[in-house]
Amino acid sequence: MTTDVRKAEIHDLLERHHAHYEVRPYYVIWDRRPEGAPEVEKKVQAGFEVDLYAALDKCQVPPFDSEQALTVVNYFESLAREVESAAGNNCTIEVIPYEGSLVLDTQVHFQPEAMLQIRISHHRGLDQSEGPAEEKALKAIREALRELGVRES
């Protein structure tokens, strides 16, 4: 697992910026077009998306233009590789910073927030739904966030 010193630094950064997260299902649309037949679209849950939000200072725009933000992104990329490995490399975990965009928290007077998305998905084929590997990875990500003191919204 990532070093405790680094974990302490990340914890402090996330706490200072009132970090919180949401978990949502990740869906793909499976579009089949058999010859001579009408197209068939099927919505398949392929995994999960964990959206991590952090409040920004008024002068902190764009959100991922600081060394601290890059440290957080690098930490979660490292964590993603560890969780993928622990899940037997049976799932894929992507860390997606939404550079250049802001989220406004409507529950806190439109506080500007940065968002970092962690997408947990599979590579078994679009017609297959999520399974034990994705659920195990989600559990590990949630546990890591809990250890960092990040609350679920």
Side-chain angles (χ1 to χ4, degrees):
M1 200 71 161
T2 52
T3 66
D4 289 334
V5 173
R6 225 169 139 208
K7 187 183 276 189
E9 179 185 352
I10 298 300
H11 172 271
D12 291 345
L13 281 169
L14 295 175
E15 184 176 56
R16 195 169 344 140
H17 291 280
H18 309 287
H20 60 100
Y21 74 96
E22 297 176 340
V23 176
R24 296 177 295 115
Y26 168 61
Y27 292 102
V28 295
I29 303 296
W30 186 44
D31 187 7
R32 292 187 341 186
R33 296 176 188 252
E35 190 174 326
E39 69 181 64
V40 176
E41 286 186 355
K42 182 179 176 184
K43 185 176 179 180
V44 178
Q45 183 179 346
F48 304 96
E49 291 178 332
V50 180
D51 295 336
L52 179 63
Y53 300 94
L56 297 172
D57 299 328
K58 302 243 183 274
C59 61
Q60 194 176 353
V61 178
F64 289 96
D65 205 25
S66 73
E67 191 170 320
Q68 291 178 341
L70 294 174
T71 299
V72 171
V73 171
N74 291 336
Y75 177 85
F76 281 104
E77 286 175 343
S78 174
L79 177 66
R81 300 297 77 77
E82 291 173 16
V83 171
E84 276 182 348
S85 180
N89 291 317
N90 291 320
C91 65
T92 302
I93 303 174
E94 299 172 82
V95 177
I96 308 164
Y98 281 85
E99 298 180 36
S101 64
L102 296 175
V103 176
L104 299 177
D105 188 345
T106 58
Q107 297 177 0
V108 186
H109 307 288
F110 295 99
Q111 167 69 47
E113 295 181 320
M115 184 178 93
L116 179 72
Q117 187 172 79
I118 303 169
R119 180 175 295 151
I120 304 165
S121 61
H122 62 71
H123 40 75
R124 293 185 298 277
L126 291 180
D127 62 333
Q128 302 295 310
S129 63
E130 56 85 22
E134 293 79 36
E135 291 173 14
K136 182 178 179 180
L138 176 61
K139 183 178 178 181
I141 296 289
R142 274 186 156 140
E143 179 64 24
L145 289 167
R146 186 190 64 74
E147 288 176 5
L148 288 168
V150 180
R151 65 178 171 79
E152 186 168 3
S153 310

